[in-house]
Amino acid sequence: MKKTILRNVAIVTAIFIVTLSVMLITNFFQVRGTTPLQAEVVETLKQLNDANSNNPELQEQIRQLDLMTRKAYFIRYDHLMAGLYILLGMLAVFIVCVRLYFARDKNIPDKELDPIDEWAIKTQARKYVTWGAAGIAAIALLFVILTSPYLQTEASEADEPEVVADAVTDTYTSEPVVAGDELVVATEPAVVSSEGTGENAETAVVAQPETVIQQPIVSSVTHNAFRGNNSNGISSARGVPVKWDLSNGTNIAWKQEVPREGLNSPVINGNRIFFSGADAEARELYCYDLTTGERLWTLAATNIPGSPSQMPETQHGTGLAASSVATNGTQVCAIFATGDIICADMNGNRLWAKNLGVPDNHYGYASSLLTYGNTVIVQYDNSTAPRVMAFDLATGNERWSRNRTERVTWSSPIIATVNNTPQLVLMGNPSISGYNPNTGEQLWRVECLTGEVGASACSANGIVFGASEYSKLVAINAADGSLLWESNEYLPEASSPVATNTTLYVATSYGVLASYDVQTGELKKEHELAAELWSSPMIVDGKLFMMTNDGKMHIYSADDEFRLIDSFETGERTLSTPAFTDGKIVIRTENSIYCVTAS
């Protein structure tokens, strides 16, 4: 019985060895001469890189292609080595089984044998099988060695008469160095010499100048919508500047005139800034470089079915581009007072556009967009057909739509976190409502407001706060829609409140910045700014940033003390809310957009 098992194991391993050896030999002929990037591909990429030396996006794509190709190449090599180890293991099992099988058969007694055993013992078959399997395995081993990328690299270096340093690939001979806001990586020039003796000595030297690849250090902190991610007025940015001056350029990285007017606030994702502008001639979405201030692209809202040929009437304080754009880092959308919504990829290629109907709004449409995953949410409250809609960012297909019973409002949607679950919260007249952002299902609704609602809600620790001038300030438990407290001391008009887990901050249109206890509604402290406030306060890095309409920045501690840290003139009238990322602030004024950098 034992001999039968050994014999069967030896037969199976022999078959396995032959099969795997054939596969490894075949692999050699399929991949021989290949490198992570074929020579013609490398040359093509090098030409593209040389022709577009000022195109960082193309260079990044080339680097990513190179990295993916190298990864696939070495994964194949890992598989090849795994096959080799399996082959050697099977060969060892085969040899052990054969030796054990014949260990006691050196002197064969006179007895009846199994036909297969008799054939194997009385002939030279066992030697042929053993040496045949070993030979095939040895040949396979040889081809595996020849297929090794390390051996190919050495051979190619020996065979090539010249070596040219390629700026396209990511093979660097020095460590990357951070210089200011840029990552600098240098590659050494390639020098190859062929030396001889006497008068006919020849020296061939191929040298390429040092290549320096500069890429901006991009923060992972995004500001994807009006008042930041989730439109909640809080940013995780660190090291943001706390002093600057446009007039003398102090801490100003760059400044650009805006192409067309608009009261919307800028958003930041990676090294890109997005905002929109519009007038009677055009409605446009813009993308600027965060590091340089260069305008990267412009997308006009044109050729949209249903778009009005005549611009709707709007007030000067609203205009045609009051709504802030929103992005998820893959797509970016903008909406205008005409009801036109457009969506583009990060390179400015239009993905889709549609007209939602000209909103019946006596001031002009002003609600900002909000992204939730791969969905863009539109609050479309107006006098005739108020509703909230969600569209697929990639296709523009409607995911859900819900009619609303609210009258016209100018506030924007937010995402609140309630018991670790996201809720879509919308201000309205007369109610504040919570929705499931995935389905549009209404979760709760509290009738508590009157008048013209312009400020958006905010949330903290499961509590939603909303307020309207000439109405009241309320706190709602978003878990069940119950009213916690209300106050009417200080109320905002356009500026949206912001809250931490302990303190709520409210900015009035007439220049008072007040703080409340989030649990009780008790007024804690107030500051008289003696200026009009339309911009919304932002909490960043433990500080509260508040810009007055005349362009004066006030910075407070975002805690119970609520003390003034600094107050200074920036130099230009500012109505929009600043956008924040690590070490930088982007601010849009009435006439320009500029970037503040930490000193």
Side-chain angles (χ1 to χ4, degrees):
M1 183 67 178
K2 180 179 179 182
K3 293 190 63 176
T4 302
I5 294 174
L6 292 172
R7 183 188 67 192
N8 292 339
V9 171
I11 293 173
V12 171
T13 53
I15 296 173
F16 189 91
I17 289 170
V18 172
T19 303
L20 185 57
S21 298
V22 171
M23 292 174 61
L24 293 175
I25 294 171
T26 303
N27 177 77
F28 166 78
F29 289 102
Q30 288 178 340
V31 303
R32 62 176 178 175
T34 62
T35 58
L37 283 178
Q38 297 292 346
E40 58 270 20
V41 176
V42 172
E43 186 61 31
T44 300
L45 293 179
K46 186 173 183 295
Q47 292 173 0
L48 283 172
N49 182 74
D50 293 341
N52 299 272
S53 58
N54 295 322
N55 189 338
E57 294 181 8
L58 176 61
Q59 294 172 355
E60 179 62 23
Q61 292 174 358
I62 293 174
R63 279 190 291 273
Q64 292 300 323
L65 173 62
D66 174 64
L67 289 174
M68 287 189 296
T69 308
R70 288 171 182 271
K71 182 178 179 180
Y73 181 69
F74 287 104
I75 287 176
R76 178 186 62 78
Y77 175 69
D78 290 340
H79 292 170
L80 184 67
M81 295 306 297
L84 173 61
Y85 296 142
I86 294 173
L87 176 63
L88 293 176
M90 290 296 101
L91 184 59
V93 171
F94 173 77
I95 294 173
V96 170
C97 289
V98 170
R99 290 188 63 85
L100 291 176
Y101 179 82
F102 291 108
R104 297 182 180 180
D105 293 327
K106 295 181 179 179
N107 298 311
I108 306 298
D110 293 331
K111 66 177 181 177
E112 185 176 349
L113 298 176
D114 181 282
I116 296 179
D117 289 350
E118 184 177 13
W119 170 80
I121 295 171
K122 293 184 177 182
T123 68
Q124 298 297 319
R126 65 178 184 272
K127 295 182 179 180
Y128 298 151
V129 172
T130 302
W131 288 108
I136 294 175
I139 295 173
L141 176 61
L142 174 62
F143 279 104
V144 167
I145 295 174
L146 293 176
T147 312
S148 169
Y150 300 110
L151 186 60
Q152 290 179 17
T153 302
E154 294 173 0
S156 61
E157 290 177 352
D159 294 340
E160 289 292 333
E162 296 181 354
V163 177
V164 179
D166 194 345
V168 175
T169 62
D170 279 336
T171 305
Y172 303 121
T173 56
S174 64
E175 293 295 322
V177 177
V178 177
D181 286 334
E182 294 183 331
L183 177 67
V184 180
V185 183
T187 57
E188 295 181 356
V191 180
V192 178
S193 62
S194 174
E195 299 181 357
T197 57
E199 296 180 357
N200 296 325
E202 295 181 355
T203 302
V205 179
V206 179
Q208 182 160 318
E210 184 178 87
T211 301
V212 177
I213 299 175
Q214 296 179 337
Q215 290 294 327
I217 302 299
V218 178
S219 170
S220 61
V221 175
T222 58
H223 192 108
N224 285 338
F226 170 58
R227 299 198 300 152
N229 299 341
N230 298 325
S231 293
N232 219 359
I234 296 179
S235 172
S236 60
R238 294 291 180 265
V240 296
V242 292
K243 194 78 171 181
W244 64 91
D245 191 334
L246 277 173
S247 60
N248 59 25
T250 301
N251 290 342
I252 303 299
W254 52 264
K255 176 184 174 184
Q256 299 284 1
E257 296 297 313
V258 293
R260 299 185 190 275
E261 63 184 29
L263 297 179
N264 60 88
S265 302
V267 305
I268 303 172
N269 188 284
N271 202 42
R272 287 176 168 83
I273 301 167
F274 303 100
F275 63 98
S276 65
D279 53 29
E281 284 73 39
R283 300 169 306 285
E284 296 173 331
L285 168 61
Y286 307 111
C287 176
Y288 280 63
D289 187 284
L290 174 63
T291 304
T292 65
E294 173 191 3
R295 194 199 312 185
L296 301 178
W297 52 262
T298 298
L299 179 63
T302 58
N303 301 319
I304 301 175
S307 181
S309 56
Q310 183 175 353
M311 296 298 101
E313 292 185 4
T314 61
Q315 296 293 320
H316 176 71
T318 306
L320 295 170
S323 307
S324 296
V325 309
T327 180
N328 64 349
T330 304
Q331 296 93 15
V332 56
C333 292
I335 193 169
F336 303 92
T338 55
D340 293 325
I341 180 171
I342 58 174
C343 189
D345 63 18
M346 294 294 99
N347 295 318
N349 300 307
R350 176 164 147 175
L351 300 176
W352 55 271
K354 60 180 65 182
N355 182 267
L356 305 179
V358 179
D360 184 2
N361 189 312
H362 53 279
Y363 290 142
Y365 181 73
S367 296
S368 294
L369 299 176
L370 176 64
T371 54
Y372 175 73
N374 57 356
T375 302
V376 60
I377 297 172
V378 184
Q379 181 176 355
Y380 215 59
D381 290 345
N382 58 81
S383 298
T384 55
R387 61 195 188 276
V388 56
M389 298 163 282
F391 299 98
D392 185 284
L393 274 164
T395 65
N397 294 334
E398 185 179 280
R399 292 195 163 184
W400 54 260
S401 177
R402 295 290 180 269
N403 293 329
R404 283 165 54 82
T405 57
E406 314 303 319
R407 291 183 284 275
V408 59
T409 57
W410 297 266
S411 60
S412 302
I414 74 164
I415 295 292
T417 301
V418 183
N419 295 329
N420 296 319
T421 302
Q423 280 191 17
L424 173 66
V425 177
L426 272 61
M427 297 283 286
N429 178 9
S431 72
I432 303 176
S433 305
Y435 298 83
N436 183 331
N438 297 299
T439 64
E441 174 194 3
Q442 184 171 288
L443 304 175
W444 52 266
R445 183 173 184 267
V446 179
E447 292 193 6
C448 53
L449 300 177
T450 59
E452 296 178 335
V453 179
S456 302
C458 71
S459 71
N461 201 26
I463 302 176
V464 167
F465 305 93
S468 176
E469 197 170 39
Y470 310 116
S471 181
K472 56 188 171 182
L473 167 66
V474 298
I476 299 171
N477 181 353
D480 56 15
S482 60
L483 186 63
L484 298 177
W485 55 261
E486 58 183 52
S487 173
N488 56 12
E489 290 176 279
Y490 294 110
L491 302 172
E493 179 187 12
S495 180
S496 302
V498 64
T500 66
N501 287 340
T502 60
T503 308
L504 170 70
Y505 303 93
V506 176
T508 70
S509 61
Y510 46 88
V512 176
L513 191 59
S515 63
Y516 292 83
D517 184 281
V518 297
Q519 297 294 333
T520 66
E522 176 190 359
L523 178 64
K524 291 183 175 182
K525 196 172 183 179
E526 66 266 19
H527 292 279
E528 187 74 50
L529 303 187
E532 196 172 23
L533 302 176
W534 282 16
S535 176
S536 296
M538 288 286 301
I539 294 178
V540 190
D541 204 10
K543 306 175 185 66
L544 186 142
F545 290 74
M546 183 72 242
M547 181 79 79
T548 61
N549 288 14
D550 58 7
K552 190 173 184 178
M553 173 58 75
H554 302 267
I555 304 176
Y556 300 87
S557 61
D559 52 25
D560 289 339
E561 292 185 14
F562 193 29
R563 60 183 176 81
L564 179 65
I565 296 174
D566 203 352
S567 180
F568 53 90
E569 301 284 349
T570 62
E572 287 192 13
R573 180 173 170 81
T574 305
L575 304 178
S576 69
T577 300
F580 296 81
T581 188
D582 284 339
K584 291 183 172 65
I585 307 175
V586 176
I587 301 173
R588 181 180 186 171
T589 72
E590 282 191 325
N591 301 311
S592 64
I593 186 167
Y594 65 92
C595 178
V596 186
T597 185
S599 57

